[in-house]
Amino acid sequence: MQLKILKKALNILLDTIIVLVTIVLLSSCSTFDSDNWRIRIPEIGMTSSLRPVDLNGDGVLDLVAGGGGPEFRETDYGVMAIDGSNGELLWKVGTWNQVVSSPVFKDITSDGIPDVFIGGRSAIFMAIDGRNGNVIWQYLSYESEMDLINDTSYLNFYTPQFVEDVDDDGYDDLLVSFGGFFKAGTGDPERPSGQLMLISSKSGEVLRKLKMPDGRETYMSPIIHDFHKNNKPDIIIGTGGESLPGELYRIKYEDLLAEKLSDTISLAFGGKKGFIAPPVLADINSDGILDIIVNSVDGRMISIDGETNETIWVVSLGDGFEVYTMPAPGIFTGDSTPDFYGSFGKGVWPDSEFIVHIIVDGKDGKVVFSDSVGVFQYASPIVYDLTKNGIDEVIIVNNDAKKVTEGMELTLYKNEVLVLDIEKKEFGVLLGPYKGSNLGSTPLITDLDNDGFIDIIYCYMEDQGNFYSFKETRMERMELQVAKKDSIIWGTYMGINYDGIYIQND
């Protein structure tokens, strides 16, 4: 009896010690105070992906993105800046069509506030004063008599990259692609050639331009990288689209400067379709040179040696699949070689029956995970180790459709943000579900207020009966009780530096 009493007393003492230690440890940690907000922008749908930047100097990152209504409809909300601390509108810029590129930032007004560079359909490309939303320059000034539908000079601008100062005005300039003709019908080969352009960030002047090597259209945001670190960068750009063939090219930056192709290399052929989403650059063969990992529209993930231009591996799910998103790089299999997530739609755009999600081992191209969830969307995934176990989680947009019959056939849509736990091989819901859809706005994870906790910011269109409504945008910020550990390498579209490059934290 005395022994039992003694054991019980010891257990009580041990439990008391554990509780006291826990209290001490919790009191020594910073208190989690979630900063959340949710806003409504009924006039538009979100047509680009959010990027963070401090525009009002309060130390909290704000948010900039492009939007738009249905094709060719003017809007007052073509570009928006949202206060990261409370969701209030800082400024907006009107446009004559959808703004589809994601922004990049550089201070060209010398006021200490980054300015915004962003593009879209019907030749929209502009620089905006980050402080007040005033337009500094535009590629094109809109006139009501412009024939935006039939004139082949009004193509689309995609997400730009900064390059060295070309016009010697002291500011880095912009590399951007220009292509895609709205009026061309499915399978119609008579389309204007896409172009690469160099544009002065300070003045908006077109400094150089170069047509695609095969004369085909382009929808891809270019990637530029000095693979051999010899001050001779190459541009990776793809041609073709949903219904026409194209190729992935490696073009010398020197050729763009000279406006003349010399030794262009075709890295991959797209079969009956092309290349739309930009590639990821990551070293998967440990030779110190970044390799090229890209999705082709015809449902393949292709890796290409950055040194030799030879194909390393190809993953294909077979006929009948399409893909419009970037691969997402991360540590998924446990070794130091980057692995890749991909989402492949079954069926022909826009009638995707379902999405197959896969994880590809970067070393050998083996598919180590596969599951089917949701329907069509083209928001690229993001990646972060939320569980702090050394294995990254994938964060994806998921659209779902449910057919209901109440006297007439009706399809209702919902959307959510899912987290794929690789170790458990299962999806969990991070945000949602919400009414409506998200077509192509990649979520953002960052630490807006630098308090050490992760924020996720998400946009969607709250119209559950219309998948392509382009109205009733909702934007939500949720702060997670997840401590930020290192740089968030792939927390936004095209990665931490917006350049498609994936290099792990040291």
Side-chain angles (χ1 to χ4, degrees):
M1 179 67 68
Q2 289 181 343
L3 182 60
K4 287 183 178 180
I5 295 173
L6 179 60
K7 284 183 177 180
K8 186 175 181 180
L10 287 172
N11 287 333
I12 292 173
L13 178 61
L14 181 60
D15 289 342
T16 303
I17 291 171
I18 291 173
V19 170
L20 289 173
V21 170
T22 302
I23 292 172
V24 171
L25 287 173
L26 287 176
S27 65
S28 66
C29 297
S30 58
T31 303
F32 176 72
D33 184 14
S34 183
D35 295 310
N36 301 332
W37 48 255
R38 191 168 187 259
I39 62 171
R40 174 174 175 258
I41 311 173
E43 295 86 351
I44 59 156
M46 193 63 65
T47 51
S48 79
S49 297
L50 293 164
R51 283 181 173 164
V53 62
D54 186 4
L55 297 179
N56 55 12
D58 65 354
V60 177
L61 294 173
D62 306 305
L63 304 158
V64 179
E71 194 86 25
F72 301 110
R73 184 174 297 177
E74 294 182 51
T75 176
D76 292 332
Y77 292 84
V79 187
M80 296 153 288
I82 306 296
D83 191 321
S85 64
N86 55 27
E88 292 183 0
L89 183 71
L90 293 176
W91 49 253
K92 66 183 187 297
V93 175
T95 57
W96 55 88
N97 207 339
Q98 299 169 349
V99 174
V100 297
S101 95
S102 292
V104 294
F105 310 106
K106 186 83 67 174
D107 181 11
I108 60 169
T109 54
S110 301
D111 62 357
I113 299 294
D115 302 305
V116 179
F117 303 84
I118 196 167
R121 301 190 188 279
S122 304
I124 294 171
F125 195 60
M126 63 179 72
I128 303 168
D129 190 317
R131 182 180 294 276
N132 53 33
N134 293 336
V135 175
I136 300 170
W137 56 254
Q138 295 188 84
Y139 171 79
L140 193 68
S141 295
Y142 178 66
E143 303 291 343
S144 59
E145 63 270 16
M146 290 165 52
D147 188 353
L148 299 178
I149 296 177
N150 297 291
D151 192 327
T152 58
S153 66
Y154 304 141
L155 305 182
N156 310 320
F157 282 105
Y158 302 103
T159 300
Q161 299 283 308
F162 282 108
V163 295
E164 62 183 10
D165 181 13
V166 176
D167 56 356
D168 296 324
D169 62 2
Y171 296 89
D172 289 344
D173 293 312
L174 295 153
L175 167 68
V176 68
S177 56
F178 183 62
F181 183 44
F182 172 82
K183 191 178 180 181
T186 301
D188 180 3
E190 297 301 318
R191 301 172 183 233
S193 174
Q195 300 177 50
L196 287 169
M197 288 188 183
L198 283 176
I199 295 180
S200 170
S201 67
K202 182 67 175 174
S203 69
E205 178 187 356
V206 177
L207 305 174
R208 306 283 194 280
K209 56 185 176 180
L210 187 66
K211 288 186 176 181
M212 293 295 104
D214 53 15
R216 297 186 177 114
E217 62 185 346
T218 187
Y219 297 93
M220 182 181 284
S221 301
I223 298 292
I224 183 168
H225 178 61
D226 186 358
F227 286 85
H228 295 100
K229 299 180 177 60
N230 59 0
N231 294 318
K232 293 184 177 181
D234 292 324
I235 301 166
I236 309 298
I237 187 74
T239 64
E242 302 99 326
S243 61
L244 289 175
E247 299 182 55
L248 186 72
Y249 289 101
R250 184 169 177 164
I251 298 174
K252 292 180 178 179
Y253 179 60
E254 293 175 349
D255 284 0
L256 175 56
L257 292 175
E259 297 185 301
K260 183 178 180 181
L261 292 170
S262 64
D263 198 16
T264 297
I265 297 168
S266 175
L267 297 172
F269 181 58
K272 295 180 180 180
K273 300 175 183 180
F275 294 86
I276 290 180
V280 174
L281 303 186
D283 185 4
I284 61 172
N285 55 12
S286 302
D287 64 355
I289 295 175
L290 298 184
D291 305 304
I292 303 155
I293 301 89
V294 67
N295 287 332
S296 59
V297 176
D298 67 353
R300 292 175 296 150
M301 185 184 293
I302 305 168
S303 69
I304 300 159
D305 191 310
E307 167 68 19
T308 67
N309 302 314
E310 298 295 325
T311 300
I312 301 173
W313 46 254
V314 178
V315 174
S316 174
L317 299 188
D319 293 337
F321 283 91
E322 293 185 340
V323 57
Y324 293 90
T325 58
M326 293 181 72
I331 300 302
F332 304 135
T333 61
D335 59 34
S336 60
T337 302
D339 308 303
F340 302 91
Y341 162 90
S343 57
F344 295 72
K346 177 65 174 177
V348 178
W349 178 88
D351 299 318
S352 179
E353 301 169 30
F354 56 86
I355 302 292
V356 173
H357 305 264
I358 64 171
I359 296 291
V360 178
D361 190 322
K363 293 193 309 296
D364 51 23
K366 290 182 179 178
V367 176
V368 296
F369 169 86
S370 178
D371 198 0
S372 176
V373 177
V375 297
F376 176 75
Q377 57 86 20
Y378 54 88
S380 293
I382 52 178
V383 172
Y384 191 66
D385 181 7
L386 295 170
T387 56
K388 309 295 179 57
N389 64 353
I391 302 296
D392 289 321
E393 279 73 50
V394 183
I395 300 167
I396 66 168
V397 170
N398 182 57
N399 290 318
D400 220 338
K402 181 181 181 181
K403 290 188 177 181
V404 296
T405 303
E406 298 176 357
M408 59 182 293
E409 188 172 286
L410 179 67
T411 301
L412 298 180
Y413 298 95
K414 68 176 183 178
N415 69 97
E416 57 198 349
V417 179
L418 299 181
V419 177
L420 173 57
D421 187 317
I422 307 299
E423 285 199 320
K424 295 180 179 178
K425 296 188 175 181
E426 63 184 21
F427 288 97
V429 177
L430 184 59
L431 295 178
Y434 306 108
K435 296 176 182 179
S437 61
N438 179 343
L439 289 180
S441 184
T442 296
L444 168 69
I445 55 171
T446 186
D447 182 4
L448 288 180
D449 49 9
N450 198 32
D451 66 352
F453 292 99
I454 296 294
D455 298 288
I456 180 167
I457 304 92
Y458 179 60
C459 301
Y460 64 96
M461 298 179 294
E462 194 178 52
D463 185 346
Q464 63 177 335
N466 186 354
F467 196 69
Y468 299 96
S469 68
F470 294 106
K471 63 181 181 181
E472 295 296 342
T473 282
R474 301 292 186 272
M475 184 185 301
E476 179 172 351
R477 172 196 178 185
M478 179 177 288
E479 189 165 38
L480 307 177
Q481 197 165 354
V482 176
K484 178 184 174 183
K485 55 165 193 172
D486 298 308
S487 296
I488 305 172
I489 306 173
W490 212 260
T492 186
Y493 177 59
M494 297 179 72
I496 189 171
N497 295 315
Y498 316 146
D499 56 7
I501 293 175
Y502 176 80
I503 298 175
Q504 300 168 50
N505 290 311
D506 294 331

